[in-house]
Amino acid sequence: MDPQAPLFDTDQTCVELAEGFFMLSAFIDTAPLLAQIELIATEAMFRHMQVGGGKHMSVAMSNCGPWGWTSSSSGYQYSHTDPLTQRPWPSMPPSFMALAQAAAAAAGFDDFEPDACLINRYARGAALGVHQDRDERDLGQPIVSVSIGATATFQLGGLKRSESLRSLPLHDGDVLVWGGPSRLRFHGVKALKPTAGGPDTRHNLTFRKAK
Ligand code: MD3
Ligand code: FE
């Protein structure tokens, strides 16, 4: 890649698809992000966290940053340490922080200071059930998500679980910002179906202000 090329494609448009929900298509070259994820996973391995009823999520997760999201038989929480190692989560790479802040700023959130980055890994068939993200202290802060690798079908709901879901493909390099009333929308990801010749795995970063 051209070393003089800008880090982010700042010319490209930030589209508001619903109140507080912004899409920045093909915002970032994901190859360097994937290299960072691989490094993080050497310290804090991907694992299938336990959810209610002794089940495990099909999505594998890790974290970086001061706080990491965890799920166990006793519920969801943010913790400073990886329960597998008792060590602090790997630090958030400066390039991750810069990306999250640039995306938030493009959507009009100027002072986003994420202190948690949840890293999801989807293999073929992995899915994320429809949920709300409400474990963070200040729901006035947005969430920034970054899609890497295989295309997934995202499901966007409303503020009530009963509302119908809209499908939206998420492509490699797409960055989404969720603020305002969209911060509490229900959402999920359908079972991953990698396409022939494309990447067989998807990663997703979600930057959050947890505390
Ligand atoms: C809408 N991740 O980690 S990213 C999650 O692709 C999560 O791995 C999905 O849902 C994934 O919690 C979806 C898009 C996304 C992320 C956070 C949101 C949409 C959101 C928070 C509020 C509303
Ligand atoms: Fe979510």
Side-chain angles (χ1 to χ4, degrees):
M1 211 183 94
D2 174 7
Q4 299 301 314
L7 206 47
F8 313 115
D9 188 358
T10 45
D11 286 344
Q12 69 101 64
T13 43
C14 175
V15 183
E16 188 168 17
L17 294 176
E19 197 183 346
F21 162 36
F22 300 84
M23 173 80 159
L24 299 102
S25 308
F27 188 67
I28 179 91
D29 171 19
T30 58
L33 299 179
L34 199 52
Q36 294 280 10
I37 291 170
E38 276 159 15
L39 206 58
I40 289 165
T42 65
E43 286 182 65
M45 67 189 281
F46 282 101
R47 78 292 305 266
H48 296 273
M49 293 185 189
Q50 204 171 336
V51 284
K55 290 190 178 175
H56 291 261
M57 301 177 84
S58 59
V59 176
M61 296 179 169
S62 184
N63 289 279
C64 65
W67 293 95
W69 187 87
T70 63
S71 176
S72 71
S73 52
S74 48
Y76 310 136
Q77 62 170 30
Y78 281 97
S79 69
H80 277 305
T81 54
D82 179 346
L84 290 183
T85 61
Q86 269 68 254
R87 292 197 307 258
W89 295 104
S91 57
M92 199 184 297
S95 59
F96 279 27
M97 180 63 92
L99 163 61
Q101 292 186 327
F109 297 96
D110 275 339
D111 304 304
F112 186 47
E113 291 273 356
D115 56 11
C117 175
L118 174 62
I119 309 170
N120 294 338
R121 188 187 69 193
Y122 296 77
R124 178 184 306 275
L128 193 60
V130 174
H131 66 277
Q132 280 178 307
D133 288 23
R134 51 183 320 148
D135 299 325
E136 300 74 31
R137 197 170 278 163
D138 180 1
L139 297 174
Q141 290 292 321
I143 289 182
V144 172
S145 78
V146 182
S147 292
I148 300 163
T151 301
T153 302
F154 178 71
Q155 295 179 295
L156 177 64
L159 298 179
K160 288 182 293 195
R161 190 178 284 278
S162 58
E163 284 176 61
S164 61
L165 302 168
R166 281 189 284 163
S167 291
L168 188 81
L170 292 184
H171 300 104
D172 180 65
D174 288 351
V175 178
L176 278 51
V177 181
W178 303 89
S182 285
R183 177 68 178 72
L184 284 173
R185 281 178 184 271
F186 280 89
H187 60 280
V189 179
K190 286 196 189 174
L192 189 73
K193 286 188 194 166
T195 53
D200 58 5
T201 307
R202 172 174 185 266
H203 289 87
N204 180 265
L205 306 175
T206 46
F207 294 94
R208 301 135 185 273
K209 178 97 176 88
K211 300 293 176 180

